[in-house]
Amino acid sequence: MSAVEATGLSDIDRIWAGDGSHLPGWFVDALAVPREDAFVTVGGAQVHYLRWGDRAKPGVLMAHGFLAHARCWAFIAPFLAADYHVVAYDLAGMGDSDARAGIDGDGRGCEMIAVAEASGLFDGPTRPVIIGHSFGAGVAVTALTTAPERFVGAIICDLMIMRPEALAVYWRGGRGSPGSGDPNKPASRYPDYPTARGRYVLAPPQPAGQPFLMDYMAYHSLRRDGDAWTWKFSPAVFARGNSSDEWMTMGRRVAAAPGRLAIVHGEQSALFGTDSAAYLRELGAGTIPIVAVPHARHHLMLDEPLAFVTALRSILALWRSAR
C-alpha cells in the first residue's frame, strides 16, 4: 500500500482552483479536512482510494457512478469524517484505478468487498455501510448480496430503477444502459484542456446546480497524455456483457437485497421518480425509506451537495442509534 496525507487543496486541486477566491467556504473547508490518498492491490491491479477519519470509528465505503471517480465524494465525505472512517474509491478502469479485463457485475461486487478489506473498513467496531451513487449503487447491491454478513447495509443514491417496460421505452429514446459503449473504440484525444473540457457532459444530460463542481469533476476526469488530453476511464469498462438484463431486474434485486437499505434520490431525477418508488413497494420493498432531495436531479452532489450531506448524515445517525 502506498499513501500520502493531504491536509488542504492537493497540488492538482490548486492548479484547477487558482487562488480559490471563486469557491464557497464550505467547499474549501471540506477539502482541507485531512485525507489519505492511496492505492491498494486488488486482483493484481492498482485501485485508487481516498480515506478520511479515524480507523477506530464505524466504516463507510463510497462508490461513484459510471465513468466518474472517487473525487465526486471528496467534498461530501469530509462532512462524515468526524463520526466515521470513510473510504471512497475509483472503480476498476475509472479515475486513477487500473483497468481489468473481463470485470463484470459480480466482479465489481467482489472488488468492492476487497477494497473494504484492504482499506481496513472491516476492522472497525461495527460492520461498514456502503453509500453508492448510480452505477456504484448497483455495485453496492451486488456486494451486499454476495457478502451480507460483512456490511450493515447500503444507502442507494439515485440508482436507475424503472419498471421493465418503462426502461425499454427510455432506452428506445436513444439512451443506452449504464455501461453501454464500444470497448474497442480508442479513447478520444484533444489538443488542449479547454477543448477537452468542452466535451465533458453529464449522463443523463442536465445542468449542474453548482457549476464550479462540474468544473471540478471535469478536471479530475481528464489526464494529460503527451501533448494531448484524454479521459481517465479506460474503454475496457464497456466490455461488460448482460448489462441490459442487470438493469431490467434492478428493482427486484434491490427489493431482495439483504441488510438495511435506504434510497436517496433527486426530486427531479430522470432515473428514479415517484413511479420507481411505487414499483419498489409493489415488489415488497415497503420498509425501505425513500428520501427525495429537493431541486436535485440525478447528480445529487453537483446539484444540492449540502442537502445531500444532510440526508446521508440523517440516515447514518438513525442506523447507528438503532444498533
Side-chain angles (χ1 to χ4, degrees):
M1 179 186 300
S2 60
V4 61
E5 292 286 346
T7 56
L9 288 174
S10 66
D11 289 342
I12 194 170
D13 285 335
R14 289 191 186 94
I15 294 170
W16 163 77
D19 64 7
S21 61
H22 65 296
L23 302 175
W26 70 262
F27 178 80
V28 174
D29 290 345
L31 292 192
V33 174
R35 73 169 188 253
E36 180 184 49
D37 193 324
F39 290 84
V40 294
T41 302
V42 176
Q46 289 287 94
V47 175
H48 173 252
Y49 72 89
L50 305 172
R51 189 187 68 80
W52 298 260
D54 187 341
R55 292 178 181 275
K57 293 186 176 180
V60 174
L61 178 63
M62 310 183 92
H64 59 77
F66 194 66
L67 304 186
H69 45 75
R71 284 183 174 83
C72 71
W73 299 113
F75 48 91
I76 301 294
F79 288 96
L80 309 179
D83 299 310
Y84 302 94
H85 173 206
V86 187
V87 172
Y89 75 104
D90 290 331
L91 278 68
M94 304 180 210
D96 296 315
S97 289
D98 291 344
R100 283 189 285 152
I103 186 168
D104 57 8
D106 290 341
R108 290 199 178 278
C110 291
E111 175 189 53
M112 178 175 278
I113 297 165
V115 170
E117 180 78 58
S119 60
L121 287 175
F122 293 138
D123 300 331
T126 62
R127 292 175 294 158
V129 173
I130 307 169
I131 300 177
H133 176 245
S134 193
F135 184 84
V139 177
V141 172
T142 300
L144 275 184
T145 304
T146 302
E149 74 286 351
R150 307 212 72 176
F151 299 97
V152 169
I155 303 177
I156 305 299
C157 303
D158 219 279
L159 177 62
M160 183 171 69
I161 298 176
M162 300 182 190
R163 300 175 192 274
E165 58 272 21
L167 190 54
V169 170
Y170 182 81
W171 285 342
R172 283 201 299 271
R175 306 171 181 93
S177 64
S180 61
D182 184 358
N184 299 311
K185 182 180 178 181
S188 298
R189 294 171 61 83
Y190 307 98
D192 50 50
Y193 178 76
T195 302
R197 171 64 184 88
R199 299 303 301 271
Y200 181 82
V201 296
L202 299 176
Q206 65 161 83
Q210 303 290 334
F212 78 93
L213 291 178
M214 180 82 158
D215 291 336
Y216 179 80
M217 288 295 295
Y219 188 82
H220 287 296
S221 296
L222 290 154
R223 61 180 176 85
R224 188 185 291 277
D225 184 17
D227 294 332
W229 286 80
T230 189
W231 304 111
K232 284 188 174 182
F233 71 82
S234 166
V237 300
F238 296 115
R240 296 187 56 245
N242 253 3
S243 176
S244 296
D245 290 343
E246 179 180 342
W247 293 98
M248 281 287 185
T249 60
M250 187 58 74
R252 297 187 181 278
R253 294 178 62 220
V254 170
R260 288 181 175 270
L261 291 178
I263 293 173
V264 178
H265 69 97
E267 192 173 55
Q268 301 173 21
S269 173
L271 302 185
F272 190 102
T274 54
D275 190 61
S276 302
Y279 177 48
L280 283 175
R281 303 301 189 216
E282 293 168 18
L283 293 173
T287 61
I288 298 177
I290 299 176
V291 179
V293 176
H295 305 296
R297 297 175 178 83
H298 174 65
H299 297 274
L300 300 149
M301 62 282 289
L302 306 185
D303 287 334
E304 296 289 340
L306 298 183
F308 184 36
V309 165
T310 301
L312 297 177
R313 275 178 163 179
S314 299
I315 293 166
L316 289 170
L318 288 171
W319 286 0
R320 192 171 180 180
S321 63
R323 291 200 302 272

